[in-house]
């Protein structure tokens, strides 16, 4: 084997290795099922980030989390292992904040943040840990990884499945990952039902009132 052939084979091997590590068949994103109108409302950051990325040959991932949990949702500071957030001054004409917000996410509200490549041959990789303020402090995490070569990988982990379910959508050539957190109807109803099932006279104040009435009569 000539040195040239040897180098070629080594290069091919490296390329195969990179491809095989970046493709996870379980989380391959193939769908593009979000109805999209350029830069309106909640998809504005996603659209903007994608345009900026295309212009710069960069990778991009926009995460949108929709709160239909019935509770406030908060998150820890969002961590980027690779890349940076899209900022106000990344685009001349649109004044829009595509960084994570610090206020709690109220019901029916969507939080969107976009991350983009920050170095040559870089990818985008991050994690966001959320808490549903339901008294039990249910937590879950979103992960995203857009490698330099290979398809993007998005994941949700840890959502308490007995109370909540997630609805996941991918859009804009898989640069947008939208997760909606719902509370199961039967869980919501169960909370209401408890108050119907427990008769009021089981509550101590009523018992005291009841007893004191008997005594005074
Ligand atoms: C939810 O967040 C809003 C806005 O910050 C706040 O006013 C409200 O008190 C919070 N509700 C709960 C139940 O924490
Ligand atoms: C999240 O949604 C629930 C209702 O689905 C709402 O009551 C709650 O205020 C929301 N949380 C925040 C922080 O907006
Ligand atoms: C999210 O929803 C999908 C189905 O849409 C389900 O397969 C998956 O287990 C859910 N993940 C979590 C963490 O609840």
């Amino acid at each position: 084997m000539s040195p040239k052939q040897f180098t070629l084979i080594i290069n091919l091997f490296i390329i195969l290795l990179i491809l095989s590590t970046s493709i996870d068949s379980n989380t391959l994103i193939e769908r593009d099922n979000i109805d999209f109108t350029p830069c309106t409302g909640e998809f504005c950051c996603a659209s903007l980030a994608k345009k900026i990325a295309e212009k710069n040959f960069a990778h991009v991932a926009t995460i949108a989390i929709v709160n239909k949990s019935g509770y406030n949702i908060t998150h820890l500071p969002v961590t980027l292992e690779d890349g940076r957030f899209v900022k106000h001054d990344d685009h001349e004409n649109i004044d829009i904040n595509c960084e994570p917000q610090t206020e709690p996410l109220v019901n029916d509200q969507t939080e969107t943040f976009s991350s983009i490549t920050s170095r040559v041959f870089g990818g985008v990789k991050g994690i966001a840990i959320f808490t549903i303020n339901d008294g039990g402090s249910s937590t879950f995490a979103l992960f995203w990884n857009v490698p330099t070569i290979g398809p993007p990988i998005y994941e949700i982990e840890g959502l308490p499945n007995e109370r909540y379910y997630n609805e996941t959508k991918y859009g804009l050539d898989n640069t947008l990952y939208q997760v909606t957190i719902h509370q199961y109807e039967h869980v919501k109803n169960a909370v209401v039902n408890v108050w119907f099932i427990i008769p009021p006279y089981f509550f101590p104040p009523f018992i005291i009132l009841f007893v004191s009435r008997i005594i005074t009569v």
Side-chain angles (χ1 to χ4, degrees), residues 60-78:
V60 64
T62 296
I63 309 301
I65 176 108
V66 187
N67 177 19
K68 297 205 187 253
S69 70
Y71 301 96
N72 282 1
I73 295 180
T74 53
H75 59 73
L76 297 171
V78 180

Side-chain angles (χ1 to χ4, degrees), residues 159-174:
L159 191 65
N161 288 321
E162 63 290 346
R163 293 196 63 170
Y164 305 100
Y165 63 97
N166 72 91
E167 185 192 342
T168 302
K169 289 183 175 181
Y170 307 97
L172 294 171
D173 301 328
N174 297 324

Side-chain angles (χ1 to χ4, degrees), residues 20 26 41 74 89 96 113 134 155 168 182 188 196 203 208:
S20 64
N26 289 329
T74 53
D89 47 10
I96 180 170
F113 47 86
D134 57 4
E155 267 173 42
T168 302
H182 295 276
K188 282 185 208 162
F196 284 112
F203 291 109
I208 291 164

Side-chain angles (χ1 to χ4, degrees), residues 70-74 103-107 109 133:
Y71 301 96
N72 282 1
I73 295 180
T74 53
E103 311 85 60
L105 181 64
V106 290
N107 200 22
Q109 197 185 311
N133 299 350

Side-chain angles (χ1 to χ4, degrees), residues 2 23 28 31 33 52 89 112 126 150 154 157 183 194 199 201:
S2 76
I23 294 174
L28 266 184
R31 289 159 290 173
N33 57 4
I52 294 169
D89 47 10
T112 305
Y154 299 107
E157 266 178 40
Q183 187 174 188
V194 170
Y201 51 76

Side-chain angles (χ1 to χ4, degrees), residues 70-99:
Y71 301 96
N72 282 1
I73 295 180
T74 53
H75 59 73
L76 297 171
V78 180
T79 313
L80 288 181
E81 278 178 47
D82 199 359
R84 63 167 180 84
F85 291 111
V86 171
K87 301 188 300 280
H88 275 291
D89 47 10
D90 281 326
H91 198 281
E92 300 122 36
N93 306 322
I94 306 169
D95 185 24
I96 180 170
N97 185 12
C98 301
E99 295 178 83

Side-chain angles (χ1 to χ4, degrees), residues 36-157:
F36 180 72
T37 321
C39 220
T40 55
E42 60 186 307
F43 298 127
C44 201
C45 277
S47 153
L48 183 65
K50 187 167 183 267
K51 278 182 202 151
I52 294 169
E54 278 167 358
K55 224 168 83 183
N56 297 288
F57 304 101
H59 289 292
V60 64
T62 296
I63 309 301
I65 176 108
V66 187
N67 177 19
K68 297 205 187 253
S69 70
Y71 301 96
N72 282 1
I73 295 180
T74 53
H75 59 73
L76 297 171
V78 180
T79 313
L80 288 181
E81 278 178 47
D82 199 359
R84 63 167 180 84
F85 291 111
V86 171
K87 301 188 300 280
H88 275 291
D89 47 10
D90 281 326
H91 198 281
E92 300 122 36
N93 306 322
I94 306 169
D95 185 24
I96 180 170
N97 185 12
C98 301
E99 295 178 83
Q101 69 184 45
T102 49
E103 311 85 60
L105 181 64
V106 290
N107 200 22
D108 282 341
Q109 197 185 311
T110 303
E111 176 177 355
T112 305
F113 47 86
S114 302
S115 46
I116 195 167
T117 307
S118 59
R119 60 186 174 88
V120 178
F121 299 125
V124 179
K125 190 175 184 183
I127 174 173
I129 299 171
F130 296 88
T131 301
I132 305 171
N133 299 350
D134 57 4
S137 286
S138 308
T139 59
F140 65 95
L142 299 184
F143 301 91
W144 58 101
N145 181 8
V146 187
T148 308
I149 300 171
I153 294 162
Y154 299 107
E155 267 173 42
I156 171 167
E157 266 178 40

